[in-house]
Amino acid sequence: MVKICCIGAGYVGGPTMAVIALKCPSIEVAVVDISIPRINAWNSDQLPIYEPGLDGVVKQCRGKNLFFSTDVEKHVREADIVFVSVNTPTKTRGLGAGKAADLTYWESAARMIADVSKSDKIVVEKSTVPVKTAEAIEKILTHNSKGIKFQILSNPEFLAEGTAIQDLFNPDRVLIGGRETPEGYKAVQALKDVYAHWVPKERILTTNLWSAELSKLAANAFLAQRISSVNAMSALCEATGADVTQVSYAVGKDTRIGPKFLNASVGFGGSCFQKDILNLVYICECNGLPEVAEYWKQVIKINDYQKNRFVNRVVSSMFNTVSNKKIAVLGFAFKKDTGDTRETPAIDVCKGLLGDKAQLSIYDPQVTEDQIQRDLTMNKFDWDHPLHLQPMSPTTVKQVTCVWDAYKATKDAHGICILTEWDEFKNLDFKRIYDNMQKPAFVFDGRNIVNVDQLREIGFIVYSIGKPLDPWLKDMPAVA
């Protein structure tokens, strides 16, 4: 029986291994992590992450051929294939601070694998890592190998949160990069055989190590670039009276461009886009390509500009001050159908409003008050370290209350900011909300999900990203 072990029981490791266990009943899969609370959660009825469909998959396999454990060394020792899915945060100090990936957790995982292994192993990079990480890991493993042979593969994940289980069941492609040597090809084939249990052969792509590592960064950079492109257009649409929804629909009809990832919004978030682009920028700089680095930096600059523009629009519309005004924030996760708040635009928007002394009342169906408070008090990039290594938030933000109901959040508020496109926000009784708000009542739709005309009829002053401006807003320019 083939044994697989995955180090890291997070957003990638957990769902990926659960699906491998489901689709390959003959393979024993162990997911290991040093965090006891996290492993306890994976073994309970309340999984540590929310992902549609994940619950069912885990319950079907757990205890049969899927195990969650804190006994890292035992499972690594016994495994034939070891996936490494640990955090690779952006460095906050030292060489490459603010851009380079911090490989501390990766390196300690590699040293531990070398230390405990008694038989040959295939080691698979699953976390997003900078190009040439495999080479570094290979060196650590071979210098500490005690005669045991290791093959390194790169197998980047292309999951989208909210649809991760579907993406795993039916992937666009599975990418496996390995060394172009007889041993390398053999290792690639072994991993290919695992995926071939359910993925059609033509969708399993094999490349060299560097191509696989770079493809992941490139894919995320291209996706983020599309969002920044349409967001840049949204600013121009507001200035000229065009409607970004109509523009992006017309552009997306071109089959060479296609309609996906062309929704204007308050900005992109999530654990990968910004981190991967910063990483790409750093790699370009290190390889003497400043023009290329500069090009990709713009994608992040536009994203930051969009968040600032949104905050400025809110403040300038409300008589240039939100001091002590209650503002309802609907949605905190970086997108719908996930409880993940990593790099969510809501953090910067909330911090911007708090900087102007607003009182925030936040509601998100999947995010806890504890998480929101942590996010608003944490330093940039701290979120990407394992929980027990994150600084404990010493203070809570007094101007923030979290509620479990959109109507409670909006009661007596001066304005509403919609920051996540949860379906339930489309079906709210806005008449009831309007009646319970301070007047004039404002809606700032950061996700373009409300019916603007309907809301204006009720009496709201509405700002929707990239849409023709409400007469009220025309006299109040949003300066970034």
Side-chain angles (χ1 to χ4, degrees):
M1 183 187 233
V2 174
K3 287 192 173 182
I4 289 178
C5 170
C6 175
I7 304 171
Y11 273 96
V12 175
T16 306
M17 293 303 122
V19 169
I20 288 178
L22 180 72
K23 299 290 190 180
C24 311
S26 60
I27 294 177
E28 186 181 294
V29 181
V31 183
V32 296
D33 201 295
I34 51 177
S35 164
I36 295 167
R38 176 169 276 190
I39 290 297
N40 287 346
W42 278 110
N43 282 319
S44 74
D45 284 339
Q46 193 61 51
L47 301 185
I49 61 175
Y50 169 73
E51 193 60 57
L54 176 63
D55 237 28
V57 175
V58 170
K59 284 181 180 147
Q60 246 173 292
C61 307
R62 196 170 54 193
K64 294 179 190 149
N65 68 329
L66 174 65
F67 304 93
F68 296 94
S69 166
T70 52
D71 192 344
V72 180
E73 297 187 0
K74 168 185 181 285
H75 288 287
V76 168
R77 190 179 305 115
E78 292 173 359
D80 305 296
I81 302 175
V82 180
F83 285 84
V84 184
S85 184
V86 296
N87 303 56
T88 49
T90 305
K91 283 181 79 169
T92 47
R93 53 178 67 87
L95 187 65
K99 285 187 289 227
D102 179 347
L103 296 179
T104 312
Y105 306 119
W106 238 109
E107 184 175 333
S108 60
R111 288 181 185 279
M112 183 270 297
I113 293 169
D115 213 31
V116 306
S117 294
K118 301 261 191 292
S119 56
D120 295 354
K121 299 207 183 316
I122 296 170
V123 178
V124 185
E125 294 177 337
K126 199 71 191 152
S127 10
T128 306
V129 289
V131 184
K132 302 278 179 163
T133 301
E135 203 162 41
I137 303 306
E138 216 167 37
K139 282 177 183 155
I140 292 167
L141 290 171
T142 45
H143 281 285
N144 295 283
S145 67
K146 304 174 294 235
I148 289 164
K149 292 192 168 53
F150 295 100
Q151 275 301 319
I152 313 288
L153 300 179
S154 171
N155 173 219
E157 55 80 24
F158 295 104
L159 304 179
E161 281 175 46
T163 57
I165 299 299
Q166 268 329 102
D167 296 343
L168 285 162
F169 281 173
N170 186 24
D172 289 342
R173 76 304 203 188
V174 170
L175 186 57
I176 304 171
R179 282 272 182 210
E180 291 165 310
T181 62
E183 300 79 25
Y185 290 132
K186 204 172 145 202
V188 167
Q189 192 55 49
L191 186 54
K192 215 173 163 176
D193 291 344
V194 171
Y195 284 111
H197 280 81
W198 79 97
V199 180
K201 287 217 166 40
E202 63 278 7
R203 288 200 202 167
I204 305 175
L205 317 180
T206 56
T207 65
N208 69 27
L209 269 175
W210 325 136
S211 299
E213 288 181 327
L214 190 54
S215 297
K216 170 65 180 171
L217 295 184
N220 276 347
F222 276 48
L223 289 171
Q225 180 196 38
R226 278 179 77 104
I227 296 172
S228 280
S229 297
V230 78
N231 282 345
M233 282 297 162
S234 75
L236 185 58
C237 287
E238 287 169 32
T240 56
D243 181 333
V244 74
T245 316
Q246 294 173 351
V247 172
S248 63
Y249 182 74
V251 168
K253 277 293 181 196
D254 185 325
T255 50
R256 295 165 304 174
I257 297 171
K260 291 184 177 170
F261 270 69
L262 288 181
N263 292 326
S265 69
V266 64
F268 59 74
S271 61
C272 289
F273 282 3
Q274 173 156 315
K275 184 171 83 176
D276 289 356
I277 293 175
L278 289 171
N279 218 317
L280 196 56
V281 166
Y282 184 65
I283 295 165
C284 293
E285 289 172 349
C286 291
N287 283 288
L289 303 169
E291 292 82 359
V292 182
E294 211 42 55
Y295 175 77
W296 288 111
K297 254 188 220 168
Q298 293 304 319
V299 173
I300 291 177
K301 279 191 182 157
I302 286 286
N303 198 47
D304 290 340
Y305 162 75
Q306 190 76 341
K307 292 182 280 194
N308 288 337
R309 216 166 65 78
F310 188 84
V311 172
N312 291 340
R313 189 66 87 181
V314 173
V315 178
S316 67
S317 307
M318 297 170 78
F319 313 103
N320 233 359
T321 175
V322 288
S323 182
N324 286 322
K325 290 179 183 171
K326 177 178 174 180
I327 294 182
V329 174
L330 298 186
F332 198 84
F334 82 92
K335 67 174 182 184
K336 71 173 186 176
D337 293 339
T338 175
D340 193 352
T341 61
R342 294 178 292 178
E343 291 290 348
T344 171
I347 294 173
D348 285 336
V349 170
C350 289
K351 282 183 173 174
L353 295 171
L354 290 167
D356 214 305
K357 298 195 169 53
Q359 301 285 336
L360 302 184
S361 182
I362 303 175
Y363 164 61
D364 186 289
Q366 284 296 335
V367 184
T368 62
E369 171 156 23
D370 178 57
Q371 186 60 52
I372 289 171
Q373 287 287 1
R374 290 174 70 86
D375 286 332
L376 293 177
T377 49
M378 224 185 276
N379 291 326
K380 209 165 174 50
F381 305 129
D382 275 352
W383 56 266
D384 207 359
H385 292 268
L387 208 55
H388 63 289
L389 295 177
Q390 289 175 11
M392 292 312 292
S393 50
T395 52
T396 52
V397 184
K398 301 275 186 295
Q399 300 151 260
V400 171
T401 52
C402 299
V403 295
W404 280 103
D405 171 277
Y407 297 104
K408 194 166 176 209
T410 53
K411 190 175 173 10
D412 295 324
H414 287 261
I416 300 171
C417 295
I418 301 174
L419 300 183
T420 311
E421 71 282 20
W422 287 102
D423 290 336
E424 67 179 77
F425 297 157
K426 297 175 188 173
N427 305 317
L428 293 170
D429 180 348
F430 279 102
K431 178 79 181 89
R432 173 182 160 192
I433 288 173
Y434 179 78
D435 292 341
N436 287 317
M437 281 176 69
Q438 304 281 347
K439 308 296 181 296
F442 297 86
V443 171
F444 302 94
D445 183 1
R447 296 287 178 175
N448 286 356
I449 60 168
V450 301
N451 182 325
V452 176
D453 296 333
Q454 227 169 16
L455 261 58
R456 285 189 182 136
E457 223 160 275
I458 292 170
F460 283 105
I461 293 158
V462 185
Y463 165 67
S464 208
I465 288 187
K467 300 281 180 104
L469 292 181
D470 195 298
W472 176 286
L473 303 167
K474 278 199 174 126
D475 313 324
M476 307 193 177
V479 228

